[in-house]
Structure formats: C-alpha cells, structure tokens
Amino acid sequence: MTKIDPSRPETVLPTPSHTVGPFYGHALPFPGGGDIAPLGHPDTIALQGYVLDGEGAPLPDAFVELWGPDPDGNVPQADGSMRRDPASGGFLGRNGVEFTGWGRIQTDANGHWTARTLRPGARGRSAPYLSVCVFARGLLVHLYTRIYLPGDDAALAADPLLAQLDETRRGTLIAAEQGRGTYRFDIRLQGEGETVFLEFQ
C-alpha cells in the first residue's frame, strides 16, 4: 500500500509498517487449539514453554502455531482443525480422530503456552521436528522456527540445519525433556539466548 505526500503529489511514499498485534486476540484463538493429537493416541507428547521478550519478560498476548508430520513422517492431509457449526458459525471442536498436524495456541497471562501433539517422524535428511510460527506484539512480521526433540543424537548431528549452527545456537532449537512424554521449549524473541529464527525466500 502506498500514500501520496500532499505537499508533493507526484511523490509516492511507502505506507509505514505495522506491528503484528495484539489486534488478533478476538477472532484467531479457538478452544482446544493446542489439542492436536487424537484422544488416547499412544504417540502423544506434551509441549510447553514461554514466549519471552528481549529482557526475558513473558508475553501474555502472543500466538504460537505448530505444524508437524505424523509419527511416520507423513504430512497430514486431513481437514478439520477448526470445525464450525454451519448454522451458528460456532466452534464445534476437533473431531478427536483425524490428525491435522496443526494447532494454534495463545499464551496465557504468564506468557505460557502448551500443546498436545504426536511425536513427529523424520522427513528426508532432517531429524524429526515441528515447525513453529510466532505472532507477537512489536513484531513487524511473524517469526518461523523449529522444535527438535532430544533423544536421537545421531539424527540431530546429521540434520542439515542444525549442522550449520554452533552448539549454543543449536540448543535454542532443541526442546528440554521433562519426563513422561513432556518437553519444554521457550521462545526468546531477542537478546541473550535468542531463539534461532528462519527466513523463507
């Protein structure tokens, strides 16, 4: 979008950019957004963490979107993460059977997020990972990153992306195991310990 400078109508100036939020809080959240795994599935894992700013303060109005393959490494083709009632438009919830691999979670008042999904399988030469997109106030564009799970050191060492990073930076992409199928992954937007973010071109 562009605007005209009224004092020089022949000059076209770019429209200033706007931050990514917190304007999205009304329509984008939906109940059960983090309940990605079908109920009772044996490969279910729990992910949780915080979205933090450059000073380490939690962001209470950020969004975390997750995409992931199934345990065999296949990208799901099922529809239905946000089923709505055709009459009222109200949210019906997930059907609890199909795995879409996608979820959207809003951080709580403490900047905390949590999701239940299936353990991702490997795809190509990459170690198993979940794709992440972060929306937060103050960002001009959303940010992409990945969550790798610990446990298979050989796969992590051979991963093409992780191999390009030094050990400290690589650690920002690997979740911490907390036991019983639960992992912690904090997302730091900038500053010391900043999460590695990806740029797609």
Side-chain angles (χ1 to χ4, degrees):
M1 186 174 188
T2 58
K3 65 179 182 178
I4 305 283
D5 181 343
S7 65
R8 296 173 53 198
E10 73 284 355
T11 304
V12 178
L13 304 173
T15 301
S17 29
H18 298 278
T19 66
V20 175
F23 321 112
Y24 43 64
H26 171 67
L28 292 183
F30 63 99
D35 296 327
I36 305 165
L39 295 174
H41 197 289
D43 291 315
T44 298
I45 60 170
L47 295 164
Q48 59 95 17
Y50 293 86
V51 178
L52 306 167
D53 67 16
E55 296 179 349
L59 294 179
D61 53 8
F63 271 118
V64 176
E65 285 190 355
L66 300 176
W67 298 275
D70 66 20
D72 295 323
N74 300 315
V75 176
Q77 301 296 316
D79 294 329
S81 289
M82 299 189 341
R83 295 183 310 133
R84 295 191 179 276
D85 184 309
S88 70
F91 180 71
L92 292 174
R94 297 177 188 267
N95 66 16
V97 177
E98 301 295 331
F99 176 65
T100 65
W102 179 83
R104 179 187 291 146
I105 310 102
Q106 184 171 11
T107 56
D108 65 16
N110 297 315
H112 186 260
W113 65 274
T114 184
R116 288 175 41 265
T117 190
L118 298 184
R119 179 179 296 279
R123 297 172 55 213
R125 296 185 302 131
S126 298
Y129 68 87
L130 296 165
S131 296
V132 182
C133 184
V134 182
F135 300 81
R137 60 186 151 105
L139 296 179
L140 296 179
V141 294
H142 42 277
L143 301 172
Y144 293 100
T145 189
R146 290 180 177 178
I147 300 174
Y148 290 90
L149 300 179
D152 189 339
D153 292 341
L156 293 173
D159 183 87
L161 173 65
L162 294 178
Q164 298 178 51
L165 304 171
D166 64 46
E167 186 173 348
T168 303
R169 301 291 287 144
R170 184 169 41 245
T172 70
L173 296 180
I174 302 173
E177 188 167 6
Q178 297 188 303
R180 299 171 65 176
T182 300
Y183 299 87
R184 179 170 175 170
F185 187 79
D186 293 338
I187 301 167
R188 185 178 289 266
L189 300 182
Q190 62 180 358
E192 185 177 349
E194 176 184 328
T195 301
V196 170
F197 295 106
L198 309 175
E199 182 177 277
F200 295 97
Q201 298 179 345

